[in-house]
Amino acid sequence: MRAMRGTVKLPKLGDTANQVVVLSWYVEVGQTVAEGDPLLNVQTDKVDLDVPSPLSGTVVEHLVAPDDEVAVGTPVAIVEF
């Protein structure tokens, strides 16, 4: 059976946070992540937040880097499951 890939998009993180700054990744390319585990850390204009992974699998690509400004709905990673 062939592995499938899913795109992780930046979820809505609050009523007013439409853009965030990426601070750091918790899971590097090639590492596995479980659904609900922290995937990356971001900063809104008010608070730093962890973004949980919506998928379990292996991270095969980061689509954003630390210091990138990212809008809600932007693809941030590819996970193979």
Side-chain angles (χ1 to χ4, degrees):
M1 178 159 51
R2 209 173 91 160
M4 297 181 66
R5 290 185 174 197
T7 302
V8 177
K9 295 181 181 181
L10 183 71
K12 187 158 178 65
L13 299 169
D15 292 337
T16 61
N18 293 318
Q19 282 199 291
V20 300
V21 174
V22 176
L23 296 178
S24 63
W25 283 94
Y26 291 117
V27 182
E28 296 300 324
V29 171
Q31 291 183 314
T32 59
V33 64
E35 182 179 346
D37 283 353
L39 186 61
L40 70 155
N41 185 253
V42 298
Q43 182 178 53
T44 70
D45 59 343
K46 297 179 183 177
V47 67
D48 294 358
L49 297 167
D50 291 341
V51 176
S53 178
L55 305 168
S56 293
T58 302
V59 175
V60 294
E61 186 176 357
H62 291 165
L63 302 175
V64 297
D67 297 325
D68 284 355
E69 197 167 310
V70 180
V72 169
T74 299
V76 295
I78 305 293
V79 175
E80 190 171 80
F81 53 96

